[in-house]
Amino acid sequence: MSYFHSVTLQRAKCKGCTNCIKRCPTEAIRVREGKAHILEERCVDCGECIRICPNQAKVAVTDRLERLEEFRYNVALPAPAFFGQFGRDVDPGQVLGGLINLGFDHVVEVALGADVVTAAIRRYLREHPQPRPLISSACPTVVRLIQVRFPSLVDHIIPLHTPMDVAALLARRQAREQHGLADGDVGTWFITPCPAKLTAVRQPVGMTLSEVTGAFSMAEIYGMMLPLLAQAPEGGELQQASAHGFGWGRAGGENQAIGAGALLSVDGIHNVIALLEEVLRDRLGDLDYLELQACVAGCVGGSLVAENPFVGRTNLRMLTERLGATGPGFPEEAAVRLLAEAPQVRGPVEPRPVMRLDEDPARAISKTEQLERVLESLPGLDCGSCGSPHCRSLAEDIVRGRAFETDCVFKLREQVHALAAEMLELAHRLPPAMGQRDEGEDGADSNEA
Amino acid sequence: MQTPEERGEARLRLEFEVTGLDFATAGSAATRVKRALEHVGFSARAVRRAAITAYEAEMNIVIHARRGLLKVCVAPEAVVIVAADEGPGIADLELAMQEGFSTAPEDVREMGFGAGMGLPNMRRCSDHFTIQSVVGRGTTVRAVIKNDQVGGRGRGV
Ligand SMILES: Nc1ncnc2c1ncn2[C@@H]1O[C@H](COP(=O)(O)OP(=O)(O)O)[C@@H](O)[C@H]1O
Ligand code: SF4
Ligand SMILES: [Mg+2]
């Protein structure tokens, strides 16, 4: 299968440094012939390499705003994190109005989708005592991370639509019911904090087709909108989401919205990995629900977000407080009905194991044995000079035929050293025609041709 | 001549030393076992069951014994995990196997261990499980976990 990825490499800018290979949580990057390469089947679009690359060679490909021309009616779907870009002096209504000013015909807040999903999660937790803990499906990086690095945990992912998908459903329904528009005339555009969400739109997991048309970078939209904000029409009537819905944009907000149960929230992909190891070892079975976000501070920390993640987080928290908790939120019955009416149910997530060394189990065993042997012979410094992130991954690459032992600079030196010693040895041996032979050596054969 | 793979005798053997009360590296042997099974292509379910078993066996040496060895033998159809330690041994095996029974000291419990679920979980996760112990000498746990249909989805644990 071929994979779409929003995260891509601009080859010309890559200097072949090894910053990204060390940071990648799925060991999906190698440096070969002086340039980084992304292993498509392992990349989870987390954006860590975008953040760390000193040369801006890693970029997130998002849609261009010109694509609005392709549709008769365009709906903006701002992520909750978008509202964290603005301070106390800006109301959600102004932000929504600003989006209309940018050229959208309508806005449906993803925070409203979050209200719907919150209600559906509460119901699901009550009706399904197993498995535990369940894991939020909202962050597409986490879902993909589980597919490739924790394939045995896919059944822990709650099989519910994400707030983004629900917002798109609501937008399409409104366009159909109020304007009589056919699906093909309606563009639904997510304003995304991260490349992963664009990947989720283009290549959804657990569904065949997303209701979302495309995604615009949050930082780009923010930049375009700022100068227009002052003259934005008051979009107060566009605001439908509850205070808690906006909270989904920051770490802890989803759990706060759900309210009841043994809930745990973890942010930052390396922290998420450490926690999933514990889930895998079955040590967290007394927890009900895990809100896991790949980005530090939550979606406000996405790699396409303009504002500082921690400022964004506080902005959102204060927004929730300012709006005040609004009762029970979206009615559960209505939420469940809405999700049931979706053209596609959200199916189970398929595991996507990437570690297997060979299709044939017996050969895979031999290769794993070889891998352990090679690893034993490597210096264990994990220096990355070979272009693989760790000695272990170089050993894996060697066994897979993608690298050589001499790619390790220390191995290479060892071999050069041995070779030099051998040459020196040879240099001391004079050809028979030049010096005298030692007595008795090879004497018997001396007459043969 | 046939290679060992062709004769269906391919085996991967791994061995790790485990040191009592070394919490800094505790769990690392189990992690390497898990990695190896992923490389071999064990089903997701079998990998998880083996990971739980290896982890609990390793932790029992760390928490309850002085030192031990975690030995693993991988064949295409199953993995055998043996944890043998030099330690105090277990006087009443039946009691030790009960859910919730633990003699872990207070400070270890404070670290989040000692729920008394290790041995029961190991038995639940393995297709074949034996435990032998001599008081004052040590304990040996042996678990066999079958590889379900290779590459299979394999639900639950
Ligand atoms: N390797 C061992 N050596 C000595 N005692 C052990 C060993 N493994 C288990 N035990 C005993 O069995 C009890 C139950 O073990 P287990 O179910 O793993 O729970 P826990 O480790 O949380 O105490 C332990 O508290 C300990 O008394
Ligand atoms: S935490 Fe939010 S911004 Fe970060 S990858 Fe996940 S969905 Fe995207
Ligand atoms: Mg134990």
Side-chain angles (χ1 to χ4, degrees):
Chain A
M1 122 162 230
S2 79
Y3 295 101
F4 170 85
H5 287 295
S6 169
V7 174
T8 42
L9 176 82
Q10 290 189 309
R11 250 184 93 78
K13 284 191 179 174
C14 177
K15 291 188 176 164
C17 75
T18 53
N19 282 298
C20 58
I21 62 172
K22 304 291 281 179
R23 180 73 163 255
C24 175
T26 54
E27 300 178 0
I29 314 177
R30 300 290 185 271
V31 176
R32 297 284 181 257
E33 277 136 25
K35 300 283 177 189
H37 293 266
I38 304 177
L39 304 174
E40 302 284 319
E41 71 279 11
R42 292 190 188 189
C43 172
V44 294
D45 289 282
C46 64
E48 289 292 307
C49 56
I50 296 179
R51 292 185 179 96
I52 195 136
C53 178
N55 306 306
Q56 282 80 49
K58 293 284 176 42
V59 290
V61 178
T62 49
D63 286 303
R64 311 293 318 156
L65 202 57
E66 290 80 63
R67 284 202 62 197
L68 294 185
E69 288 158 22
E70 295 171 24
F71 296 86
R72 268 176 65 191
Y73 187 80
N74 289 292
V75 188
L77 312 171
F82 193 50
F83 299 85
Q85 306 303 295
F86 308 92
R88 261 176 293 188
D89 48 330
V90 180
D91 279 330
Q94 276 171 279
V95 176
L96 299 170
L99 287 170
I100 298 290
N101 257 15
L102 259 190
F104 291 97
D105 299 295
H106 189 53
V107 187
V108 173
E109 305 144 288
V110 172
L112 178 64
D115 284 335
V116 174
V117 177
T118 300
I121 292 172
R122 285 198 197 120
R123 164 77 65 99
Y124 195 92
L125 285 175
R126 267 205 324 277
E127 291 182 349
H128 299 82
Q130 288 297 329
R132 284 293 185 271
L134 282 160
I135 299 173
S136 171
S137 64
C139 174
T141 293
V142 169
V143 169
R144 282 169 167 73
L145 177 74
I146 292 174
Q147 285 184 293
V148 303
R149 272 201 61 174
F150 300 92
S152 65
L153 297 182
V154 290
D155 292 330
H156 287 253
I157 301 170
I158 196 163
L160 294 174
H161 286 81
T162 65
M164 173 183 81
D165 295 317
V166 175
L169 277 175
L170 291 169
R172 290 190 180 279
R173 193 166 76 171
Q174 187 260 356
R176 194 167 52 239
E177 288 173 2
Q178 290 182 19
H179 302 284
L181 288 164
D183 248 9
D185 291 333
V186 183
T188 52
W189 304 96
F190 185 56
I191 296 174
T192 185
C194 63
K197 282 285 190 185
L198 180 67
T199 300
V201 167
R202 294 279 173 85
Q203 208 167 62
V205 168
M207 295 187 297
T208 49
L209 191 70
S210 172
E211 302 291 323
V212 185
T213 307
F216 302 127
S217 154
M218 187 173 289
E220 265 176 52
I221 296 286
Y222 176 73
M224 287 187 247
M225 227 183 82
L226 261 193
L228 307 174
L229 208 57
Q231 333 119 32
E234 184 39 56
E237 79 288 345
L238 290 169
Q239 189 199 323
Q240 295 172 272
S242 80
H244 281 320
F246 291 106
W248 273 63
R250 64 174 174 86
E254 178 179 348
N255 280 354
Q256 194 181 17
I258 298 168
L263 316 173
L264 179 74
S265 141
V266 174
D267 54 307
I269 191 154
H270 296 281
N271 299 329
V272 167
I273 288 170
L275 190 86
L276 288 173
E277 292 286 358
E278 298 294 306
V279 177
L280 189 121
R281 291 164 172 175
D282 211 9
R283 301 206 347 115
L284 301 179
D286 51 348
L287 291 174
D288 291 316
Y289 192 72
L290 307 179
E291 173 203 312
L292 304 182
Q293 279 161 304
C295 298
V296 171
C299 294
V300 286
S303 55
L304 297 177
V305 173
E307 183 57 277
N308 175 285
F310 300 96
V311 174
R313 181 170 70 179
T314 299
N315 282 342
L316 274 189
R317 190 176 47 74
M318 290 194 300
L319 176 62
T320 303
E321 281 166 17
R322 210 156 71 239
L323 295 175
T326 43
F330 207 92
E332 233 177 78
E333 260 329 305
V336 170
R337 201 166 345 110
L338 202 144
L339 294 192
E341 280 167 11
Q344 296 184 61
V345 290
R346 169 125 185 177
V349 174
E350 289 302 320
R352 226 173 79 191
V354 293
M355 296 309 281
R356 179 163 26 156
L357 293 175
D358 202 296
E359 296 280 326
D360 176 67
R363 267 206 303 274
I365 284 184
S366 303
K367 287 186 180 175
T368 310
E369 206 181 8
Q370 191 193 343
L371 187 160
E372 294 289 337
R373 242 187 354 255
V374 174
L375 179 60
E376 202 76 9
S377 77
L378 294 174
L381 296 174
D382 291 340
C383 71
S385 308
C386 57
S388 301
H390 314 104
C391 297
R392 165 167 277 277
S393 33
L394 178 67
E396 185 190 335
D397 292 342
I398 291 170
V399 170
R400 288 186 193 276
R402 294 175 181 162
F404 302 98
E405 214 155 283
T406 45
D407 287 347
C408 169
V409 289
F410 299 92
K411 279 274 161 195
L412 183 66
R413 248 192 68 172
E414 246 172 49
Q415 290 206 8
V416 169
H417 191 84
L419 204 63
E422 205 175 317
M423 282 172 73
L424 203 64
E425 232 264 313
L426 284 175
H428 284 302
R429 283 199 207 163
L430 292 171
M434 291 167 79
Q436 273 191 325
R437 278 184 181 218
D438 290 343
E439 276 305 310
E441 188 189 292
D442 244 4
D445 295 339
S446 56
N447 282 336
E448 281 180 23
Chain B
M1 209 181 89
Q2 281 188 321
T3 63
E5 323 175 345
E6 285 159 351
R7 290 197 304 272
E9 289 165 11
R11 296 284 183 273
L12 169 71
R13 286 172 220 279
L14 300 170
E15 208 174 287
F16 307 93
E17 283 176 21
V18 184
T19 312
L21 297 180
D22 179 3
F23 285 93
T25 56
S28 60
T31 300
R32 289 191 55 186
V33 172
K34 178 188 146 214
R35 266 287 173 108
L37 294 176
E38 286 170 345
H39 283 315
V40 173
F42 265 46
S43 75
R45 175 169 176 267
V47 170
R48 187 171 186 205
R49 293 165 81 216
I52 294 172
T53 304
Y55 175 74
E56 293 295 349
E58 182 181 3
M59 289 314 293
N60 275 358
I61 299 177
V62 172
I63 297 171
H64 306 291
R66 277 190 306 281
R67 60 160 174 259
L69 273 184
L70 188 74
K71 290 196 278 191
V72 171
C73 179
V74 188
E77 50 291 327
V79 53
V80 183
I81 299 170
V82 177
D85 68 52
E86 292 166 29
I90 303 171
D92 187 342
L93 280 175
E94 208 170 307
L95 186 63
M97 289 302 302
Q98 277 175 22
E99 290 192 7
F101 175 82
S102 175
T103 60
E106 193 54 40
D107 54 332
V108 169
R109 281 170 201 259
E110 269 163 20
M111 284 190 275
F113 303 103
M117 293 302 291
L119 291 175
N121 273 349
M122 286 156 76
R123 179 158 61 184
R124 180 175 57 90
C125 287
S126 43
D127 295 294
H128 184 77
F129 179 82
T130 55
I131 179 166
Q132 288 172 322
S133 192
V134 179
V135 174
R137 295 273 296 278
T139 305
T140 300
V141 164
R142 185 175 182 276
V144 182
I145 289 131
K146 287 188 193 149
N147 186 14
D148 338 46
Q149 171 216 345
V150 174
R153 184 180 166 76
R155 285 163 183 280
V157 246

